[in-house]
Amino acid sequence: MLQNDIAISVEGLKKSYKSVAVLKGVDFEVKTGSIFALLGSNGAGKTTIVKILSTLLKQDSGNALVNGFDIVLNSDSVRQSISLTGQFAAVDEILTGKENLIMIAKLRHLSKPVEIAENLLIRFGISDAADRRVSAYSGGMRRRLDIAMSLVGDPQIVFLDEPTTGLDPEVRIEFWKVIKELSSNGTTVFLTTQYLDEAEHLADRIAILHEGRIVVSGTFLGLKKLFPKSKVEYIEKQPTLEEIFLAIINKKGED
Amino acid sequence: MKTTNNYFLNDLSVMVGRSMRHTFRSLDTIITVTIMPLALMLIFVYVLGGAIQSGSDNYVNYLLPGVLIIAIANGIGYVSYRLFMDKQRGIFERFHSMPIARSAALWGHVLTSLVSNMISLVVIILVALIMGFRSDASIVSWLAVFGILIFFTLALTWIAVIPGLSAKSVDGAAVIAYPIHLLPLISSAFVPTETMPGPVRAFAENQPVTSIVETVRSLLSNQPVGNEIWIALAWCIGIMLVAYFFAMGVYRKRM
Ligand SMILES: Nc1ncnc2c1ncn2[C@@H]1O[C@H](COP(=O)(O)OP(=O)(O)OP(=O)(O)O)[C@@H](O)[C@H]1O
Ligand SMILES: [Mg+2]
């Protein structure tokens, strides 16, 4: 079955809030084990897509399969296959970091929740703060815990909505490593970002969401080819993703 | 494959464990739910008690039912507050994107409200015993007392769920607590209604708290309860059902 190859496939996805059409027919596919970056400016609808795919929100029309399961008809199985790290850290402030992880492990019905929690604390470098309440964590520690909570039980597909927003550059680079590691272990990573360099560094495929549709998608190299060769300068200049992004959006705005 | 419903009890107990920790770790919850009603009881008995003609020789006996009701009414504001915080912090989204019984997240809060209220009622009754409360009520009467108080707690809890899920701000979420705080004061909880002026008296005698207080008072003092117990039960169960359906409607729509 295709299920093994394609982790996420989305077809004709539409969603409006009241009268405002946010998604006007979104199509894309994500290969199993790859890192897929969804790029878009503020309000483009990235979070809306993530919420629909993680079964929190129902689309108005269109279909999507996640791990081979229909997100509406088979939402239970979808939830078995995924984890969500929302745009804002969803951690329990009153519990300690360790208690947060244990709670998630129990809710995922895993045996040895304490062991799982301890391993993740070490892996994310927060074991020193394990028994402190999260309300005393810094923003970066919170986000690390947040992502650690999402990895409890090794879900096959991981949704990360702007995972590195608000992190200092050092922690960001650490995260990139974690994400690369996940993908090399076969986990599919779907992430949204506004940082073009993040997509450039991490993603196997990049899709740009603009005005309700995916306006381009492909590998970074592929996107570069779409961009007109830079005029001869003294040093040949490679277009950055940022330039590609702006060029595409401006072009769409003109016609 | 096991469906998520098989895990309802497991998930529910994790949820209750979590919010019980919230309750025990926040000092102000304990103060509001247990210490405040106790202080009120001390003030009424030792400061105002001499001046109030309750028509019974043991004022603690007269007062206790009202103090229990106040304790419950004080506690339910926290249900709204905790639900609101969970919604705002994205905790509900995290839970709802996981393979757990969906309603466990909501029921966890409701059961926590019930359990923590029952604990504070027991503490208050123990202190009342030290202050001279005496009752020769039978086990059956005590069970009836707790039965009615459980229904009353559930009724108020489900009312509190509604603003907790729909409010736009913390203040909005907590607003429901104010009118509910006032109800016991305009009832026969602390002074006999006969002393009140006409319209106030009419209100006091026909609002739910009076029938609940009177029923509990009769049960504890081994007096016949007459019709009052059915009126009290009808109020509690009626309010509970209406609030439950309304709250579940909000939950389905907003979550
Ligand atoms: N519940 C809602 N009700 C009404 N409009 C909404 C709602 N949620 C989102 N929107 C609107 O839908 C559009 C897309 O929002 P969304 O959060 O998906 O964007 P985003 O790409 O994630 O933006 P950001 O980069 O700021 O996170 C925005 O214009 C937003 O105002
Ligand atoms: Mg967003």
Side-chain angles (χ1 to χ4, degrees):
Chain A
M1 241 170 75
L2 279 176
Q3 187 174 330
N4 297 326
D5 260 13
I6 305 294
I8 304 170
S9 75
V10 174
E11 228 182 71
L13 210 58
K14 290 186 184 169
K15 176 77 191 174
S16 308
Y17 292 109
K18 305 239 163 70
S19 58
V20 186
V22 175
L23 306 180
K24 300 172 185 165
V26 170
D27 307 89
F28 62 83
E29 272 185 356
V30 180
K31 282 213 182 77
T32 301
S34 69
I35 300 176
F36 182 92
L38 183 65
L39 269 171
S41 37
N42 278 132
K46 302 180 297 294
T47 298
T48 304
I49 291 181
V50 169
K51 284 190 179 174
I52 290 173
L53 293 179
S54 55
T55 77
L56 296 177
L57 200 63
K58 226 178 231 162
Q59 71 269 37
D60 298 334
S61 64
N63 293 308
L65 298 181
V66 172
N67 201 22
F69 302 110
D70 186 288
I71 53 169
V72 176
L73 302 177
N74 230 331
S75 54
D76 249 14
S77 309
V78 171
R79 289 194 281 267
Q80 299 275 3
S81 323
I82 65 161
S83 82
L84 166 67
T85 308
Q87 187 164 356
F88 306 99
V91 292
D92 189 319
E93 302 262 320
I94 293 160
L95 301 185
T96 67
K98 191 169 167 185
E99 284 170 341
N100 266 288
L101 289 163
I102 292 174
M103 171 177 75
I104 299 296
K106 284 185 179 165
L107 287 174
R108 286 199 176 271
H109 317 119
L110 304 170
S111 49
K112 302 194 184 157
V114 177
E115 213 177 298
I116 292 170
E118 279 164 356
N119 287 337
L120 280 163
L121 287 163
I122 294 169
R123 184 164 155 208
F124 281 85
I126 39 180
S127 40
D128 287 344
D131 296 317
R132 246 188 284 153
R133 288 195 202 172
V134 173
S135 51
Y137 280 26
S138 71
M141 286 160 75
R142 241 170 252 227
R143 197 49 163 167
R144 281 191 246 183
L145 176 64
D146 192 37
I147 297 188
M149 282 163 78
S150 298
L151 298 185
V152 170
D154 303 316
Q156 290 153 275
I157 300 168
V158 175
F159 290 96
L160 303 165
D161 194 2
E162 298 193 27
T164 63
T165 302
L167 294 182
D168 63 49
E170 204 182 322
V171 182
R172 254 178 99 202
I173 289 165
E174 239 173 73
F175 263 140
W176 290 355
K177 261 193 256 162
V178 170
I179 291 167
K180 289 246 182 206
E181 239 173 65
L182 279 178
S183 134
S184 62
N185 290 335
T187 305
T188 309
V189 178
F190 179 107
L191 66 93
T192 75
T193 182
Q194 292 186 39
Y195 299 118
L196 307 155
D197 60 326
E198 183 161 286
E200 185 179 332
H201 275 100
L202 276 180
D204 299 311
R205 285 186 85 79
I206 297 167
I208 297 179
L209 179 66
H210 184 62
E211 290 181 345
R213 289 195 174 81
I214 303 289
V215 286
V216 256
S217 76
T219 59
F220 178 63
L221 288 177
L223 294 192
K224 266 209 298 208
K225 284 196 193 112
L226 286 175
F227 190 76
K229 259 267 157 54
S230 43
K231 300 281 170 291
V232 181
E233 289 170 21
Y234 287 103
I235 307 153
E236 198 183 332
K237 195 173 156 248
Q238 291 294 322
T240 64
L241 191 51
E242 183 138 14
E243 288 169 313
I244 299 172
F245 181 70
L246 292 175
I248 286 163
I249 284 178
N250 289 336
K251 210 162 50 187
K252 293 280 157 184
E254 279 157 21
D255 54 41
Chain B
M1 198 174 100
K2 283 194 178 175
T3 67
T4 49
N5 280 335
N6 296 3
Y7 288 119
F8 183 76
L9 287 182
N10 169 73
D11 299 346
L12 186 61
S13 75
V14 177
M15 296 291 180
V16 173
R18 160 176 184 261
S19 48
M20 283 307 289
R21 281 200 172 119
H22 284 209
T23 306
F24 284 119
R25 282 179 193 179
S26 75
L27 192 58
D28 63 312
T29 314
I30 296 169
I31 291 174
T32 319
V33 174
T34 311
I35 317 247
M36 273 295 289
L38 280 177
L40 210 64
M41 184 158 71
L42 291 170
I43 290 169
F44 266 98
V45 171
Y46 295 121
V47 180
L48 307 172
I52 293 174
Q53 305 280 310
S54 68
S56 88
D57 24 326
N58 185 335
Y59 189 51
V60 183
N61 280 5
Y62 184 84
L63 210 56
L64 182 64
V67 172
L68 298 180
I69 295 291
I70 289 256
I72 296 171
N74 277 2
I76 61 120
Y78 287 101
V79 178
S80 311
Y81 173 76
R82 285 195 289 262
L83 278 168
F84 179 80
M85 292 316 269
D86 273 7
K87 191 182 83 158
Q88 203 194 29
R89 295 231 166 100
I91 305 274
F92 270 118
E93 290 191 343
R94 181 183 279 284
F95 288 153
H96 287 168
S97 68
M98 290 174 58
I100 62 171
R102 263 200 177 199
S103 57
L106 181 57
W107 275 101
H109 285 280
V110 171
L111 281 194
T112 298
S113 163
L114 188 61
V115 173
S116 61
N117 269 305
M118 291 306 125
I119 293 174
S120 73
L121 295 190
V122 170
V123 172
I124 291 168
I125 290 170
L126 291 178
V127 174
L129 278 171
I130 298 170
M131 290 169 64
F133 164 68
R134 292 294 174 266
S135 166
D136 45 11
S138 64
I139 297 277
V140 177
S141 298
W142 273 106
L143 287 179
V145 166
F146 269 91
I148 287 173
L149 293 177
I150 285 172
F151 278 121
F152 182 65
T153 307
L154 285 174
L156 292 192
T157 301
W158 281 110
I159 291 179
V161 168
I162 298 165
L165 292 177
S166 48
K168 302 267 187 290
S169 67
V170 193
D171 296 334
V175 85
I176 193 75
Y178 298 112
I180 288 176
H181 282 173
L182 289 180
L183 280 185
L185 297 177
I186 317 170
S187 79
S188 65
F190 302 104
V191 291
T193 53
E194 287 80 26
T195 59
M196 302 173 184
V200 181
R201 180 176 173 184
F203 175 79
E205 286 180 352
N206 291 297
Q207 62 121 325
V209 170
T210 295
S211 62
I212 296 164
V213 164
E214 290 301 324
T215 305
V216 171
R217 196 174 277 150
S218 305
L219 285 167
L220 291 181
S221 60
N222 244 341
Q223 306 286 313
V225 286
N227 269 339
E228 208 70 61
I229 190 169
W230 303 117
I231 298 173
L233 273 178
W235 271 117
C236 291
I237 295 176
I239 294 171
M240 185 181 76
L241 288 179
V242 172
Y244 170 80
F245 283 112
F246 203 79
M248 284 313 263
V250 176
Y251 188 61
R252 274 190 217 102
K253 208 169 123 225
R254 310 247 167 174
M255 295 291 146

